[in-house]
Amino acid sequence: MNGRHMLLPAALAALLALGGCATAPVNPPLTHADPTAGYRYETRTQYFQDAEDIVVLAFSGGGTRAAAFSYGVLEALKDTEVIGPKGERQRLLDSVHVVTGVSGGSFTALAYGLYGERLFSEYEQRFLKRDVQGELIGRALNPLYWGALSSPEWGRSELAADLYDEILFNGATFADLQRASGPMIVASATDLTSGARFYYTQQMFDILCSDLGAVRLSRAAASSSGVPVVLSPVMIYNYGGTCGYKEPPLLTRIANSATVSRPAARAMQQVKELRYFEDGKRRPYLHLVDGGVADNLGMRAILEILDELEALRLEGVPTPLDHAKTLAVFVVNSLSTPPLGWDAEKNAPGTLDILLRATGVPIDHYSYEAVELLRDTAARWKVLRSIRDSGAIVDNGNPDLAKVMRVPNLEVYVIDVSFGALKDEKERTYLNELPTSFTLPPEAIDRLRAAAGTIVLESPDFQRYLRDLGDRVVRTPAAARELAPAP
């Protein structure tokens, strides 16, 4: 072999050696935890202060199917205008306060928070109609990445995060999200050790004594979509106990509450889960996987907030959301149920198929229960408020009965945006058979987007919400049917 031919193997060996030393990015420590700073809902003053009508979009997991379906909801809300009871005209998208995202839905949520209106001219080509899965596989099979992939600190999810940076996020961090003017974006993952939910907010990073502002959005997306086995966990450093973090007084009040109501008990459990992360000496490293393992709808954070509100109200404690009158939650669930055909085969499915199915079944079932629990909470509050306001029950000095009647004065609307709500049976069947992957045909992307808009505008709960607010629809997306003006 001559000297010229030896150059390529030598160069490859050098690259692989460098790759073998690859380490995961470090989320930096925080010297002092400041509850009034950083990326948290309270610092989004245009959405938090004095907001009477709060709108939350919850984007589920499901790969590109979820990303496209949730994007369709954003498009529908952008293209739908209403006139309020005082004659004010606005797009429905401009009334959104919070967007939660899990797995595939986290890409749409984070990208919208970062780009705002630019999303509608770039997202389709940069991500939705791109073979992201093929590019990931291509990099994993490329010898130039093998050294890095062999490093215990830089796995397949770090490789994925770098790709997401190149094609979508451009190295943006949560500091960039903080500077943007859009709604609060909450991407979630799952802590592999405890099974607890992990949220990319400064409140959570205060507990870790870490600065969320320096964390790349691509790493949040990679951990939120890091399917166990298929992708490696994303590692986060925990410096808990080094920055003078103090638990918010309202959470301490819940934890020390003597109330034995179910909402208070659930809220106490949530406080315990947060306290798990406080000990950085015993737990210096967190390993995060797909958020869908703990909550595939991004709904549990909403349920937790409602539990906390109710628990504090039962104790007669004012809350930061007492001024709110309505809460509309769009549950954007891209769950699909493709036929497996296992019952028609004598031979059992393969090990990987069984593993994926075994993890998916409980996730899907809990997703259904989470929506029903939210509906139950909304209905119970409404009934108790009606009884309280009617004066039909006199407590006769019974303190327990008086407490029960202290439910929040918040009207909760649950707007189901899922394939099952689609009236077109043929289209519903088509969508239900789409796989969970990070590549779909362009036709599938377009049909998912159109279906999302149709489902939102045809939703009886959505129409009831608009009627109760006194809003009248004056413009709707061209892809969806025209609605009669709300009376």
Side-chain angles (χ1 to χ4, degrees), residues 123-142:
Y123 192 51
E124 181 180 347
Q125 296 304 321
R126 292 184 65 173
F127 188 78
L128 292 181
K129 292 186 176 179
R130 189 170 188 144
D131 185 6
V132 177
Q133 185 165 300
E135 293 185 47
L136 284 173
I137 294 173
R139 292 196 177 194
L141 296 177
N142 188 332

Side-chain angles (χ1 to χ4, degrees), residues 63-96:
T64 297
R65 186 184 67 245
F69 194 56
S70 56
Y71 178 64
V73 170
L74 291 179
E75 288 182 306
L77 297 181
K78 174 180 70 74
D79 293 336
T80 303
E81 291 185 359
V82 298
I83 292 180
K86 297 180 181 179
E88 65 279 16
R89 181 169 180 152
Q90 69 168 351
R91 304 182 311 173
L92 290 179
L93 185 59
D94 296 330
S95 64
V96 174

Side-chain angles (χ1 to χ4, degrees), residues 127-247:
F127 188 78
L128 292 181
K129 292 186 176 179
R130 189 170 188 144
D131 185 6
V132 177
Q133 185 165 300
E135 293 185 47
L136 284 173
I137 294 173
R139 292 196 177 194
L141 296 177
N142 188 332
L144 293 178
Y145 294 95
W146 290 353
L149 286 171
S150 68
S151 170
E153 295 186 33
W154 199 94
R156 295 181 300 279
S157 284
E158 296 299 342
L159 179 146
D162 285 351
L163 174 64
Y164 303 153
D165 250 340
E166 293 176 23
I167 67 176
L168 184 60
F169 296 114
N170 298 333
T173 67
F174 278 89
D176 296 304
L177 214 58
Q178 172 73 350
R179 286 188 287 269
S181 60
M184 180 72 189
I185 307 298
V186 183
S188 62
T190 303
D191 174 55
L192 189 58
T193 302
S194 65
R197 295 163 307 288
F198 184 93
Y199 303 114
Y200 281 88
T201 66
Q202 188 56 56
Q203 289 101 320
M204 176 67 77
F205 275 70
D206 280 351
I207 300 173
L208 307 183
C209 289
S210 182
D211 179 14
L212 175 64
V215 175
R216 289 183 298 155
L217 303 184
S218 61
R219 291 199 84 211
S223 64
S224 184
S225 59
V227 179
V229 181
V230 178
L231 293 169
S232 59
V234 169
M235 190 268 287
I236 296 290
Y237 289 88
N238 183 6
Y239 315 99
T242 64
C243 64
Y245 166 76
K246 293 183 179 180
E247 187 175 76

